[in-house]
Amino acid sequence: MAIRAVLWDIDDTLFDYTSADRAGMQRHLAAEGMAVPGETVDQALARWREITDAQWLRFAAGETDFLGQRRDRVRAFVGTGLSDGTGLSDAETDAWFDRYIAHYETAWSLFPDSLAALDLLAADYRQAVLSNSSIINQDRKLRVLGVRDHFEAVLCAAELGVSKPDAAAFHAACDALALEPGEVAYVGNEPDIDAGGATAAGLTGVWLDRGRLGGRPELVRITDLGQLPAVLRGDTRFGAPSAIG
């Protein structure tokens, strides 16, 4: 079954989230003061990411909502240490997060290969987004970065009620495009959540290996988005044997 559409992850696939997150947190901590005295910026950032991952798992499991996981990230990171466990108020966590976001957004940028790939694929493939975030965050991000018009649909976990790698998330995106899973390729930087999840759901999963994560040798793998058109045509030089026909 020929590929008719490319479904994209955003963060650390098209958008350099890791670099923006580091720069934003560094500027934020310089303005706010370190949450833990003596902690380096790299240690603080590692702790922030660990907390973020843990709270996202709670959100994915339905234990909290999107705003709740964000507030709990702030509470865990700032670590007020109040014995009753309430920590910062909702208003205080929201204000802290908003100040961080202001610094983070000043560092937003696409990867150097992103725009060229989107432009090149536009002639032959429909394009859409499936992200483990919220539409408020990601739609605005795509507009600020100047690429929202490349996508006919943007679907996010917060609104879908299901997140990658659950097959239901990928199938919801296919339904939005009115295409069968076998007609859709999913491109993302996470080997398990993105490419692995998409493959298990019947899509063609493509792992974009930007050198930040370990991977799975059985996955279709590329190291630059310039390699993607060849993979979509069925050229397997860049990854595992492909079922694209």
Side-chain angles (χ1 to χ4, degrees), residues 138-153:
Q138 301 297 55
D139 187 81
R140 180 174 178 276
K141 183 185 294 175
L142 293 171
R143 293 183 188 281
V144 170
L145 293 170
V147 294
R148 176 62 181 85
D149 289 347
H150 285 77
F151 309 109
E152 59 184 86

Side-chain angles (χ1 to χ4, degrees), residues 165-229:
D166 193 311
F170 294 101
H171 292 164
C174 293
D175 289 345
L177 294 169
L179 294 174
E180 295 297 321
E183 298 177 291
V184 181
Y186 189 86
V187 183
N189 70 296
E190 296 268 4
D192 295 325
I193 293 174
D194 293 328
T199 299
L203 291 74
T204 295
V206 180
W207 172 36
L208 174 59
D209 180 7
R210 294 201 182 274
R212 292 172 173 171
L213 296 169
R216 291 165 45 182
E218 75 275 15
L219 295 174
V220 176
R221 171 181 170 272
I222 59 175
T223 58
D224 185 281
L225 288 178
Q227 299 165 356
L228 183 57

